[in-house]
Amino acid sequence: MRLLYEGGLASEDNSFLDYGCGRGDDVKFLSELGVPAQGWDPYFSNNSETLKTSDIVNLGFVINVIEDPEERLEVLKSAYKLAKKCLAVAVMLPAQNDASHIIPFRDGHVTSTKTFQKYYEQNEI
């Protein structure tokens, strides 16, 4: 999010949608900086009125926590359709993996906190 802001993509000149915003911390951060930001999340903020076409759509650390590969692809496609200018995607990388507490599951792992996590290689994402 910081890189999108510092790079000028998340700015007062661009509408911004945080797709999978969680509890909305990034939306609050950007709004305080004057960015017209909205967020949508299937669990914490699922108001369909905020799920609309925006200049910049952020899909930050979302697809890496979805267990089903087909659902991951659908989420990626849905977010892409909403982006007028830019879709920003961030995922967890293997270097961010603490392998001491993970259990292999499907194409990812179950973490020590009992959540799913897929670590992406650069060429894979």
Side-chain angles (χ1 to χ4, degrees), residues 63-77:
I63 62 172
N64 52 286
V65 297
I66 300 173
E67 294 177 23
D68 181 8
E70 289 179 23
E71 183 181 351
R72 273 184 234 140
L73 184 57
E74 287 306 313
V75 167
L76 189 59
K77 287 179 181 180

Side-chain angles (χ1 to χ4, degrees), residues 4-44:
L4 290 172
Y5 181 75
E6 289 175 356
L9 290 172
S11 70
E12 57 192 27
D13 298 327
N14 288 319
S15 57
F16 189 93
L17 172 64
D18 191 2
Y19 190 111
C21 67
R23 298 185 190 274
D25 293 338
D26 289 334
V27 172
K28 182 180 177 191
F29 166 75
L30 290 176
S31 295
E32 289 172 356
L33 294 171
V35 176
Q38 293 198 20
W40 178 86
D41 189 277
Y43 300 103
F44 300 108

Side-chain angles (χ1 to χ4, degrees), residues 20-120:
C21 67
R23 298 185 190 274
D25 293 338
D26 289 334
V27 172
K28 182 180 177 191
F29 166 75
L30 290 176
S31 295
E32 289 172 356
L33 294 171
V35 176
Q38 293 198 20
W40 178 86
D41 189 277
Y43 300 103
F44 300 108
S45 182
N46 63 359
N47 180 351
S48 61
E49 292 179 19
T50 61
L51 196 56
K52 60 184 180 182
T53 303
S54 300
D55 294 322
I56 310 302
V57 175
N58 180 54
L59 191 62
F61 303 103
V62 172
I63 62 172
N64 52 286
V65 297
I66 300 173
E67 294 177 23
D68 181 8
E70 289 179 23
E71 183 181 351
R72 273 184 234 140
L73 184 57
E74 287 306 313
V75 167
L76 189 59
K77 287 179 181 180
S78 295
Y80 180 76
K81 286 179 186 177
L82 294 171
K84 289 191 223 175
K85 296 179 181 178
C86 174
L87 172 63
V89 180
V91 296
M92 296 293 284
L93 302 173
Q96 295 166 299
N97 173 7
D98 177 11
S100 62
H101 301 303
I102 60 172
I103 301 166
F105 181 76
R106 294 189 178 182
D107 65 343
H109 302 90
V110 175
T111 68
S112 61
T113 59
K114 308 291 187 241
T115 59
F116 178 81
Q117 189 66 249
K118 175 167 176 47
Y119 299 96
Y120 284 86

